[in-house]
Amino acid sequence: MVPTGHKDLQYLQKLPRSPLLSYLCKQAQPAKPVSQRPSSGPTNFPALAAFASTKLLRWIPEYVSHRIGWRHQFLTYPASDLRNGVYKLKEGTEETRVALAGDWASGTDEAAGVANHIAAFDAHYTIHLGDVYYVGDQDETGENFLGIPNPRNYYEPCRWPQGSLGSFALNGNHEMYALGKAYFDEMLPALGVNKGGQPQGQGASFFCLENEHWRIIALDTGYQSIGFPVVEYFWPPDCGVPAELLQWLRKIVKPDRRGTIILSHHNYFSRYETAYPKQAIQLKEFFAAQPVLWFWGHEHRLMIYKEYQMGGGIRAIGRCIGHGGMPIGLPGEVKDAKCPVEFEDPRLYPNDENLTVGYNGYAALVLRGNELEVRYVDVLGDTVFSEQWSARDGTLIRSASAVGIATSDR
Ligand SMILES: [Fe+2]
């Protein structure tokens, strides 16, 4: 059962990938749930509502005040942090459960539903792959991620479910639409590994979870996803990984032959949308000889790709899980037909807003020794796709996979 009282999907559908228009759409969102789609109301891009004089007075000053200025300083781990952002997973036959969701922080009923299923999974670690909507400012970080009610509207807030051992969040382009200030100053202090049941703060926007057989390495592709206003439309940023993070990989993580799981906000490749191969080219220094399992978000759908590489980047088995909380676009025009798809979820999600959208969901990972099980769970709690992997000396071997949804639903 999907909860109610949170934000509606309709106002987030087809949100343009643009800071200016994201600020515009933010103002167009009503102050309380609408639920049923109004017969003559907005559906895809409710821009006109934002041109009301009261909204205009908020839109332009907010855009200017949030976007003109320097980005928040890129944080690195201080010398006093002996772990340097590298945390130990359980060893041996003990299992570690990790929940991943991308583009979850929309504040919608569906985001709340996905959060409930993550909580039921009883994850040791929960990791958000980035994007707080619309613009990742302080108010939205509070109401869409930290569960803090916004006094200026009547929506139930959403809280990112905490793992019993820790919770983390990657940086996305929407957090950077407000220069990353709320991400670094509000979100990260509320995350990190737990001590005495309390999060100790996530020290930087990148980190590594590891055991004897596996490494989960989280990157920041959001920090360099914005440029100067207006200029960025003509020279789009490449979403590459900052130099400080590459140094951390070289000096601290020192990638080896363990099974490697990469997490990033931006997609390396995509069958339907713009690709961001710069990050994969940067990783060639570390993973030229072995493929990685790579989970990313940014694109609002679930995609299971076969191993692929492009643009001089590393070999990657791509898993797009940007279907955490935004309206899910169904397969549209193919942009790169060479991207080899193994599975995509084509089902229509029945909703009270009469929207033609797909199912939200998250990825449930269980690591045990050198084995990894991944289940892709939808907003109703059903497993859509599952797979099992083992890591042996830098080689990832998939021993099983299954489509979990009934054929009649597809
Ligand atoms: Fe994004």
Side-chain angles (χ1 to χ4, degrees), residues 99-175:
L100 307 176
D103 306 70
W104 170 85
S106 59
T108 56
D109 288 336
E110 286 67 25
V114 168
N116 287 346
H117 290 296
I118 292 176
F121 176 52
D122 194 19
H124 295 103
Y125 295 97
T126 61
I127 306 174
H128 184 231
L129 297 195
D131 270 0
V132 176
Y133 299 93
Y134 291 84
V135 298
D137 62 10
Q138 188 178 21
D139 287 347
E140 292 180 335
T141 295
E143 62 183 312
N144 295 342
F145 192 88
L146 298 175
I148 301 169
N150 184 341
R152 283 180 289 283
N153 65 43
Y154 300 94
Y155 294 108
E156 291 289 329
C158 284
R159 179 164 177 74
W160 177 248
Q162 288 194 309
S164 60
L165 298 181
S167 312
F168 298 88
L170 276 61
N171 193 7
N173 50 305
H174 283 261
E175 284 85 331

Side-chain angles (χ1 to χ4, degrees), residues 131-243:
D131 270 0
V132 176
Y133 299 93
Y134 291 84
V135 298
D137 62 10
Q138 188 178 21
D139 287 347
E140 292 180 335
T141 295
E143 62 183 312
N144 295 342
F145 192 88
L146 298 175
I148 301 169
N150 184 341
R152 283 180 289 283
N153 65 43
Y154 300 94
Y155 294 108
E156 291 289 329
C158 284
R159 179 164 177 74
W160 177 248
Q162 288 194 309
S164 60
L165 298 181
S167 312
F168 298 88
L170 276 61
N171 193 7
N173 50 305
H174 283 261
E175 284 85 331
M176 293 307 297
Y177 289 173
L179 300 174
K181 291 178 179 174
Y183 170 73
F184 285 105
D185 292 340
E186 309 286 335
M187 278 173 71
L188 295 196
L191 299 169
V193 292
N194 296 340
K195 192 173 176 185
Q198 291 301 313
Q200 299 300 295
Q202 181 182 325
S205 54
F206 52 91
F207 56 90
C208 173
L209 302 174
E210 65 177 21
N211 65 15
E212 184 187 349
H213 301 280
W214 294 96
R215 278 182 142 170
I216 300 174
I217 299 174
L219 308 177
D220 183 345
T221 60
Y223 195 75
Q224 298 189 153
S225 66
I226 58 163
F228 287 107
V230 183
V231 175
E232 65 198 353
Y233 291 101
F234 299 99
W235 288 279
D238 60 16
C239 305
V241 172

Side-chain angles (χ1 to χ4, degrees), residues 73-86:
Q73 179 191 6
F74 185 74
L75 297 183
T76 56
Y77 292 98
S80 58
D81 185 343
L82 299 178
R83 287 186 292 200
N84 262 311
V86 179

Side-chain angles (χ1 to χ4, degrees), residues 358-386:
Y359 277 70
N360 294 98
Y362 80 101
L365 280 62
V366 179
L367 297 106
R368 191 184 298 104
N370 73 329
E371 303 289 326
L372 166 69
E373 176 194 81
V374 188
R375 285 185 303 113
Y376 300 85
V377 180
D378 72 19
V379 67
L380 300 182
D382 295 325
T383 296
V384 182
F385 187 85
S386 62

